[in-house]
């Protein structure tokens, strides 16, 4: 896994999301490339 993707996953902290938010993002997580998912859900974007 590229370092930028690993760092992005850490930055969004998805493991702390409420279940409702996780469920809402699940389709994107499954279908989008990792970079696109991180761009969409990055709190600093």
């Amino acid at each position: 896994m590229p370092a930028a993707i690993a760092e992005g996953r850490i930055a969004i902290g998805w493991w702390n999301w409420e279940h409702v938010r996780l469920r809402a993002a699940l389709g994107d997580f499954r279908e989008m490339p990792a970079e696109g998912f991180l761009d969409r859900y990055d709190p600093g974007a």
Side-chain angles (χ1 to χ4, degrees), residues 25-41:
L26 185 58
D28 288 342
F29 182 78
R30 289 180 174 163
E31 297 175 12
M32 295 177 81
E35 295 86 352
F37 183 86
L38 294 173
D39 286 344
R40 178 171 286 177
Y41 293 97

